[in-house]
Amino acid sequence: MKSPKPPKLALRLLRAFCRPDYLVDIEGDLRELFLRRVDQMGRRKAVRRLYKDIFFLFRPGIIKSVHHHLVFTHPIMLKNYLLITWRTMLRNPFYAVLNILGLAICVAATLCIALYIHFELGYDSFHEKGERIYRLETRKIHTRERVLDVDWWAVPGNLGPIILQEYPGVEALTRIYSFSPGAAAKLENEDREYSSEYLYVVDSSVLDIFTLNLLYGDLN
């Protein structure tokens, strides 16, 4: 069986900006890390993580240095360009402001889109079974008189056992209940008490579905 290969576009992007003396080592490490991630989390997530790693490698110490001293980079030429730009802006202030404003809006929109995409691709990505986890929501409520359109992020708790019985394709299911904000809940265990406004009650199967790391205590 052939080992999976990283996408060619990602490697081309790396070779486009990476210094030649670093390229062999960095590309080799990324290939090895990619193969390891494919075995652990699947190819799709491994590809996303590869592009993320290449993006964070784009920094001054790794980017190719420009050795060609072009004419327009001379200080005198730069001063001349700045002077011409300033005179043009004073001669046509309306178009100058319009161009600068348009450029600023484009840059801001690009950054917002990039942050949104990064958030969507990385949301809850630490769960090992994230691609197989689904949340049930309530969209419509059917009563004897009418149908109500709602947008609730939850369903009745007693629906859980019914789903496990009626739908064999569901491997595991957990119910999560959170107390109302401001309503402190208290736990008692022998001589110890714990009170908090942020308390969730879950089924024991939550450990089979979500990848959780505790700061204290034992998951089992």
Side-chain angles (χ1 to χ4, degrees):
M1 182 178 180
K2 296 182 179 180
S3 58
K5 296 182 180 180
K8 295 182 180 180
L9 181 60
L11 298 180
R12 290 178 181 173
L13 178 62
L14 175 66
R15 295 165 186 168
F17 70 85
C18 186
R19 292 177 53 176
D21 49 338
Y22 292 167
L23 180 60
V24 177
D25 294 334
I26 293 178
E27 183 175 342
D29 293 341
L30 289 178
R31 286 178 179 270
E32 182 179 351
L33 189 59
F34 175 78
L35 294 177
R36 192 184 311 161
R37 286 172 175 167
V38 170
D39 295 334
Q40 294 176 352
M41 60 183 65
R43 178 177 175 80
R44 183 179 300 178
K45 283 189 175 181
V47 171
R48 291 205 299 260
R49 294 290 295 274
L50 176 63
Y51 276 105
K52 184 177 180 180
D53 292 340
I54 293 176
F55 175 76
F56 284 112
L57 285 173
F58 195 81
R59 53 180 184 263
I62 298 178
I63 298 176
K64 293 179 181 179
S65 58
V66 180
H67 299 286
H68 302 285
H69 300 279
L70 302 180
V71 178
F72 59 82
T73 60
H74 195 276
I76 297 179
M77 294 302 297
L78 290 177
K79 181 180 179 180
N80 186 38
Y81 292 147
L82 292 176
L83 183 60
I84 294 175
T85 302
W86 178 250
R87 289 175 178 175
T88 303
M89 292 176 61
L90 293 179
R91 192 161 45 244
N92 302 296
F94 175 76
Y95 291 104
V97 172
L98 187 64
N99 290 332
I100 295 174
L101 183 62
L103 178 62
I105 293 175
C106 291
V107 172
T110 303
L111 292 176
C112 291
I113 294 173
L115 291 174
Y116 176 78
I117 294 175
H118 179 266
F119 173 78
E120 289 294 326
L121 294 178
Y123 182 77
D124 282 351
S125 58
F126 61 91
H127 293 299
E128 296 179 357
K129 304 175 182 177
E131 296 183 355
R132 300 162 56 196
I133 299 175
Y134 297 88
R135 185 180 71 180
L136 296 182
E137 299 179 349
T138 303
R139 297 299 185 186
K140 294 180 181 293
I141 296 180
H142 296 265
T143 64
R144 294 182 178 180
E145 300 178 354
R146 56 177 178 169
V147 178
L148 302 177
D149 292 327
V150 297
D151 189 10
W152 295 346
W153 59 271
V155 295
N158 55 5
L159 188 62
I162 299 177
I163 292 177
L164 290 177
Q165 294 177 2
E166 299 294 334
Y167 295 91
V170 178
E171 300 180 26
L173 184 143
T174 185
R175 293 169 294 181
I176 301 176
Y177 174 77
S178 61
F179 290 90
S180 301
K186 183 171 67 173
L187 297 178
E188 297 182 1
N189 183 13
E190 297 178 354
D191 58 338
R192 294 182 299 176
E193 291 185 0
Y194 177 77
S195 179
S196 174
E197 296 182 2
Y198 306 98
L199 189 65
Y200 290 82
V201 179
V202 300
D203 293 319
S204 59
S205 57
V206 70
L207 301 179
D208 300 328
I209 298 176
F210 298 101
T211 303
L212 302 178
N213 296 320
L214 296 185
L215 296 177
Y216 305 98
D218 187 357
L219 284 175
N220 296 326

